[in-house]
Structures are given as C-alpha cells and as structure tokens.
C-alpha cells in the first residue's frame, strides 16, 4: 500500500511553471551570464594587483569614459555598504555605493589612495550624479516573456556577483526538481546521473528521436548499484542539457552534485525564496506553497496524473502523451529496470482510476444522469445489467448496495475504459474503433487518441464531466469565427467544429436530464 500523498494542484501548478520557466525561458540567458562570470573571474586571477592608485590622470580618464558612454559606475553589494556605514561613512554620501575596485580594474589597482580620493571626490560625485551606480551584470538584458501574461520584459534587472551566483544555483535546482517531476526517478537515481548521461538515438530510421538517461539503480541492488536507463521525453533532455551547462562537474562526475533532499535549505527552499522575491514576482510567477516536496511525492504525483488526468495539469506544461509513451517504452525495453517499477505504479493507479470512473458513471445512471454519445446505448445496457444483478438477490432483510459490490460487477467493463479529455472510450472491440479505421489498422491493443472523433465513434460516450471541455471548444470557435483575420476556408472548418461542439453539448444536457 502506497501511503505517500500526491501533490495538489495548488502546489504542483506553480512548481512546474517556475521550473519550466527557469529552464526553457530564462535558462539560455542564465548560461550566458555564467559564461561571462567565469571569464571575468578567470581574467582577475591573472592580474598582478597594486595596492593604491596615486595617478589622478588615470582615474580621471576612467571616469570620463563612463561619462562618455553613459555607463553607470560599478556598484558594491549591500553587505559592503553596511561595512562602509559601520566604518564611519555618511549614509547620505553620494559615493557610498560606488565600487572603486571594479572601477580601477583596468589599471590593476585595488583602491584609490587616500590623498587622491580626497582630491578626486568632486569628479567622482559629479559622475555618480550624472550616470549613477549599478551592478555589473545584466545591465542591458534581452527580453523574455512573463510567465502569466506573456508580456516581453527584460529577463533580469542588474545583478551583483553574489546574486548572479544565486540565480545560477536556483536554475540548477529547477533542473533537479523538473527531472524528478517529469521522470519519476527516485532520489538515489537522480544522485547517480552524471555529466554526459544523455543518449539520443534515431528511432528505427524514422527520423524520430528516442531519448534516454543513463543512471544507476541502487535500491534493492548489489553494493554500488546497477547501470540502468530511463526513456524520457524531449523536455527532460532539455532540462539535463541545461543542468550540464550550469555545473562545474566534468564528464562522468555527478550532475546534480551533493544531493541532500529538496527541503531543509535544499532545492525547494531556494525556489520558493526566488519566486517570492522581486525577481520572481516581476516574471509573473505564482508563489509556491510551503508544503513538503520531495522525489517520492513527485513520483507519486506523476503516476496519479498519468493515470487519472490525461488532459490535466501536466498536459498543460508538457506533452502528456509523450510522457506515457516514454514510460511504456522504458518498461518494454528493460522489463527488469527501475522504469518498470514506476510503470507498474502508474498502471495500478490507472486501473483504480478506471474503476472509480466506471462506478461514478453507474452512480450517475442511478440518479438519472445518462451518458451521451454514440456508445451510450451499449454502456447503458451494461449498467442496466449490473442494476439487475444487484436487484436479483434472495428475499430477506433489506441490504445496502456498496461501491465494492458495484466495483466487482463493473470490473470487466472498467478494464476496457480509456480516459480522454473530452470523452470516455470503451475499447471493447477494435473492429468498431473509428480511430483504427481512420489509421488503416484493426489490430491495435488501445485506441489512437490523436485520431479520436468521439461524436461518431460507436464506442465513445460523453458525460457531464466532459461538458466544460466541449463548452470551451465551442466558445473558442465563436471567438475565432468573429475574427476578420481568419480566412474563409478555415472559417468553414471552424463552423463545422462549432456545430459539432454545440450538438455534443445539447446531447450531454439532454441525457443528464433523462429519467432512468
């Protein structure tokens, strides 16, 4: 019995949004920032520093260059401002935030000599008044879309060295959490990922890519673990590629470094703090609730999402069907591997969800809410048969029909149910499946959801739970039909789609009001 609770939408939604925004939107900019930082620090190591600058002409030339180009003078970090205040600086001193070490870097000096500083103060104050002071990094950032509105804004405000290092670390944490959330890997398997773990192959010469991660399975294996592979979606490969650009580890070394969990100043603490900061707020990110998040919960959440919500939260962030295919392929490719264990967890949850939905359909039938769609009559026949079996019992004291009794009678029916965003598919007979006919095959073991036309397939039903999906489709079609930018040929297709949506909505509403 799995006791780990999955994450609720109120946690998973902002968490996934934050991680994928950091990876896909801000990731390339953060990599560039890291490259610039490394180059800067490397060049500093090769400088033979002199203690104090005494040459007023050289200082004036540096200041004049900033004035000519309009570039602010370098700014010191906040903790350095605090140190200056403690050493006696006036809080109103216009030079309080100026970073003289960075200003003097081209000269190879660490500071301005006391006598020269007093002499040059008017010049420095004039420069600060004209161009100000600012941190060195991200002074002229590229634009990136906000997570909530898509509005293009500078991807970052100017950053200090410390803030830049923190942002790079936060992006690395986002890679760790995203990998866990989109693969279901255990913490021990995440720890065993190394730089260079990505494998991409051409799938049987089709031009389609098959992506794998090489890791080790430690749990339940011999000392040192055993090498294993995870088949993953392309989005995970992007995450790993970014993580490799954000680490100092070399090939074959641990990708995510020392892994001490997500909480207790781990990945989640850093992500929550950044999202709640001005940087996270200006990117339109929603705060992540302070609820425990760890690989076990992410693994459990992924299995439940894949089993119960084919058009749910994960489908809005990643290609849901690719997740299912990758997990199934990993199971089939290495039946004894770690991905097989996760596959079994997912299938167990899927079976439970199918049975739950079938019992729910029966309870609605009892209340007079009938299914709609071409497959409604066949489903109703099954539900009436169950109703008859429950009614045909030996005379005696009245008994209460429990969900368990209904589950036993509906178990076979539930086994052929396939959940879709807009309908239920009762895949009893492949020969009747419209999707297989359209694809030119009759031997598939499961429906082809991408070719589903539930308004015409004899094995599809619509229920009240699907109404919102059809309503959204109808509303979107109305908006597009009213747009003058849509060409006439496309409007004809949209009009037919709108009519179909309205017809399905009418059928759902009518069936829901029928008496048993």
């Amino acid at each position: 019995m799995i006791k780990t609770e999955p994450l609720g939408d109120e946690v998973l939604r902002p968490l996934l949004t934050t991680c994928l925004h950091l990876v896909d939107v801000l990731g390339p900019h953060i990599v560039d920032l890291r490259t610039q930082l490394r180059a800067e620090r490397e060049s500093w190591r090769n400088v033979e520093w002199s203690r104090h600058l005494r040459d007023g002409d050289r200082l004036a030339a540096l200041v004049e260059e900033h004035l000519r180009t309009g570039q602010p003078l370098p700014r010191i970090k906040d903790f350095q401002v605090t140190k200056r205040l403690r050493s006696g600086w006036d809080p109103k001193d216009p030079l309080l935030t100026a970073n003289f070490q960075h200003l003097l870097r081209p000269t190879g000096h660490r500071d301005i000599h006391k006598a020269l500083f007093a002499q040059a103060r008017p010049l420095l104050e004039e420069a600060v008044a004209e161009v100000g002071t600012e941190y060195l990094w991200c002074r002229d950032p590229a634009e990136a879309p906000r997570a909530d509105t898509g509005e293009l804004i500078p991807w970052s405000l100017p950053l200090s060295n410390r803030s830049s290092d923190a942002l790079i670390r936060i992006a690395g944490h986002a890679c760790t959490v995203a990998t866990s959330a989109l693969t279901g890997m255990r913490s021990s398997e995440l720890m065993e990922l190394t730089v260079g773990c990505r494998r991409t192959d051409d799938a049987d010469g089709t031009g389609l890519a098959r992506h794998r991660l090489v890791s080790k399975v430690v749990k339940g294996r011999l000392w040192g673990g055993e090498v294993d592979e995870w088949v993953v979606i392309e989005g995970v490969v992007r995450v790993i590629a970014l993580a490799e650009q954000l680490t100092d580890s070399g090939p074959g070394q641990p990708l995510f470094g020392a892994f001490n969990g997500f909480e207790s100043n781990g990945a989640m603490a850093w992500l929550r703090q950044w999202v709640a900061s001005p940087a996270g707020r200006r990117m339109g990110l929603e705060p992540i609730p302070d609820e425990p998040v760890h690989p076990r919960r992410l693994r459990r959440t992924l299995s439940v999402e894949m089993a119960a919500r084919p058009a749910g939260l994960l489908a809005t962030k990643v290609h849901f069907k690719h997740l299912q295919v990758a997990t199934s392929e990993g199971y089939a490719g290495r039946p004894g591997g770690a991905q097989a264990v996760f596959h079994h967890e997912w299938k167990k949850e899927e079976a439970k969800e199918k049975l739950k939905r079938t019992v729910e359909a029966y309870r609605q039938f009892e209340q007079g809410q009938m299914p709609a769609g071409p497959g409604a009559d066949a489903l109703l026949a099954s539900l009436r048969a169950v109703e008859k079996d429950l009614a045909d019992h030996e005379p005696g004291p009245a008994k209460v029909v429990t969900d368990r009794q209904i589950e036993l009678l509906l178990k076979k029916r539930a086994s052929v149910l396939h959940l879709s965003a807009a309908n239920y598919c009762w895949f009893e007979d492949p020969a009747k499946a419209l999707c297989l006919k359209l694809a030119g095959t009759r031997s598939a073991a499961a429906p082809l959801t991408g070719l589903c036309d539930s308004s015409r397939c004899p094995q599809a039903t619509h229920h009240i739970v699907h109404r919102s999906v059809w309503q959204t489709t109808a509303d979107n079609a109305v908006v597009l039909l009213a747009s003058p930018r849509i060409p006439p040929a496309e409007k004809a297709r949209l009009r037919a789609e709108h009519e179909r949506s309205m017809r399905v909505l009418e059928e759902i509403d009518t069936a829901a009001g029928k008496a048993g």
Side-chain angles (χ1 to χ4, degrees):
M1 180 68 178
I2 301 176
K3 297 183 179 180
T4 302
E5 286 293 323
L7 290 171
D9 285 359
E10 69 281 359
V11 179
L12 187 60
R13 182 181 62 254
L15 176 60
L16 273 179
T17 300
T18 297
C19 290
L20 295 180
H21 197 76
L22 278 164
V23 170
D24 292 330
V25 178
L26 303 184
H29 303 299
I30 296 174
V31 169
D32 290 341
L33 173 62
R34 182 175 182 273
T35 301
Q36 295 168 19
L37 272 170
R38 288 171 63 87
E40 172 84 359
R41 286 166 179 166
E42 186 63 31
S43 64
W44 275 58
R45 293 192 187 99
N46 299 325
V47 174
E48 294 184 6
W49 296 98
S50 300
R51 182 159 180 77
H52 290 128
L53 175 67
R54 299 171 182 268
D55 188 339
D57 292 338
R58 297 188 70 182
L59 177 59
L62 293 174
V63 174
E64 288 296 331
E65 180 64 19
H66 279 270
L67 294 174
R68 186 183 65 79
T69 59
Q71 285 291 321
L73 270 62
R75 181 186 182 93
I76 60 172
K77 306 177 187 68
D78 290 342
F79 80 91
Q80 292 173 308
V81 172
T82 302
K83 287 178 64 176
R84 283 185 176 179
L85 291 173
R86 288 175 178 172
S87 66
W89 279 65
D90 185 343
K92 297 181 180 180
D93 192 326
L95 301 182
L96 179 64
T97 61
N99 189 331
F100 302 120
Q101 187 179 63
H102 275 286
L103 177 65
L104 300 178
R105 187 186 163 200
T107 70
H109 292 81
R110 290 187 179 277
D111 207 348
I112 304 173
H113 190 271
K114 188 175 181 179
L116 177 59
F117 183 72
Q119 177 185 344
R121 174 175 274 277
L123 174 65
L124 293 169
E125 290 181 356
E126 179 184 346
V128 169
E130 183 170 338
V131 298
T133 63
E134 193 52 88
Y135 294 125
L136 287 178
W137 307 109
C138 302
R139 285 189 172 187
D140 187 22
E143 291 187 330
R146 284 173 56 100
D148 51 356
T149 64
E151 176 192 359
L152 291 176
I153 61 173
W155 78 268
S156 174
L157 296 178
L159 299 173
S160 66
N161 282 35
R162 175 177 289 188
S163 297
S164 299
D165 288 334
L167 181 57
I168 293 168
R169 184 172 180 179
I170 288 163
H173 287 319
C175 292
T176 308
V177 175
T179 302
S180 177
L182 299 181
T183 64
M185 298 179 88
R186 300 185 182 98
S187 57
S188 60
E189 292 152 2
L190 291 170
M191 290 173 63
E192 295 296 335
L193 288 173
T194 60
V195 176
C197 63
R198 291 177 291 150
R199 303 288 187 273
T200 299
D201 306 319
D202 180 16
D204 303 322
T206 61
L208 301 175
R210 177 185 285 111
H211 304 289
R212 296 173 288 120
L213 298 182
V214 178
S215 181
K216 277 187 178 182
V217 183
V218 178
K219 186 174 181 179
R221 304 302 170 93
L222 297 175
W223 179 260
E226 298 176 8
V227 175
D228 200 357
E229 294 179 353
W230 285 72
V231 180
V232 297
I233 59 175
E234 192 269 339
V236 175
V237 173
R238 291 200 307 272
V239 172
I240 297 298
L242 178 64
E244 289 180 338
Q245 296 178 79
L246 297 176
T247 181
D248 292 326
S249 299
Q253 294 180 328
L255 176 62
F256 295 126
F259 189 79
N260 299 315
F262 288 174
E263 301 292 346
S264 300
N265 199 35
M268 288 307 305
W270 283 75
L271 287 172
R272 286 193 187 97
Q273 185 177 1
W274 180 76
V275 170
S277 72
R281 291 198 300 271
R282 66 183 295 275
M283 292 308 301
L285 294 168
E286 183 181 350
I288 304 171
D290 191 13
E291 183 176 336
V293 177
H294 46 75
R296 292 192 306 279
R297 292 197 74 180
L298 291 171
R299 180 186 180 94
R300 172 78 168 144
T301 303
L302 180 59
S303 65
V304 170
E305 287 280 338
M306 291 174 66
R309 299 175 53 181
L313 183 62
L314 283 172
T316 67
K317 299 299 176 189
V318 295
H319 202 310
F320 179 80
K321 294 301 293 182
H322 287 181
L323 265 174
Q324 289 188 321
V325 170
T327 302
S328 299
E329 185 176 325
Y331 161 75
R334 300 178 69 87
Q339 201 160 12
V341 179
F342 175 69
H343 185 274
H344 286 307
E345 289 181 22
W346 157 37
K347 285 300 180 182
K348 186 177 180 180
E349 290 298 326
E350 186 178 49
K352 288 167 58 178
E353 184 64 23
K354 287 180 178 181
L355 190 54
K356 174 186 171 184
R357 297 287 187 99
T358 307
V359 172
E360 184 180 80
Y362 179 79
R363 289 301 191 189
Q364 290 173 349
F365 159 75
E366 284 186 317
Q367 297 167 7
Q369 296 181 9
M370 303 299 168
D377 290 342
L379 177 59
L380 284 171
S382 297
L383 299 181
R384 291 189 177 109
V386 171
E387 184 181 46
K388 184 175 184 301
D389 286 342
L390 291 172
D392 292 342
H393 60 83
E394 294 295 326
K399 72 174 183 178
V400 177
V401 177
T402 65
D403 278 353
R404 181 57 182 161
Q405 290 173 287
I406 299 174
E407 287 174 359
L408 292 173
L409 292 171
L410 290 173
K411 193 170 184 179
K412 183 177 179 180
R413 184 71 180 181
S415 66
V416 299
L417 172 60
H418 291 265
L419 305 175
S420 295
N423 66 283
Y424 289 161
C425 175
W426 307 90
F427 195 72
E428 285 188 296
D429 186 356
K432 295 181 180 179
L434 178 61
C435 59
L436 299 190
K437 292 179 182 178
L438 293 174
T441 179
R442 301 293 178 87
S443 59
L448 303 175
T449 307
L451 294 176
C452 179
D453 184 354
S454 61
S455 64
R456 295 193 297 139
C457 182
Q459 297 187 123
T461 59
H462 303 129
H463 300 254
I464 197 70
V465 69
H466 303 122
R467 193 185 189 287
S468 61
V469 178
W470 288 99
Q471 186 65 62
T472 300
T473 302
D475 293 344
N476 290 342
V478 170
V479 174
L480 292 172
L481 285 170
S483 173
R485 298 182 179 181
I486 304 297
E490 180 65 13
K491 282 193 174 183
R493 185 191 67 80
L494 287 170
R495 194 170 291 109
E497 185 175 297
H498 178 258
E499 291 173 357
R500 181 187 66 168
S501 299
M502 295 304 297
R503 185 171 63 252
V504 171
L505 283 169
E506 183 179 355
E507 291 174 356
I508 292 175
D509 291 340
T510 302
K514 284 183 178 179

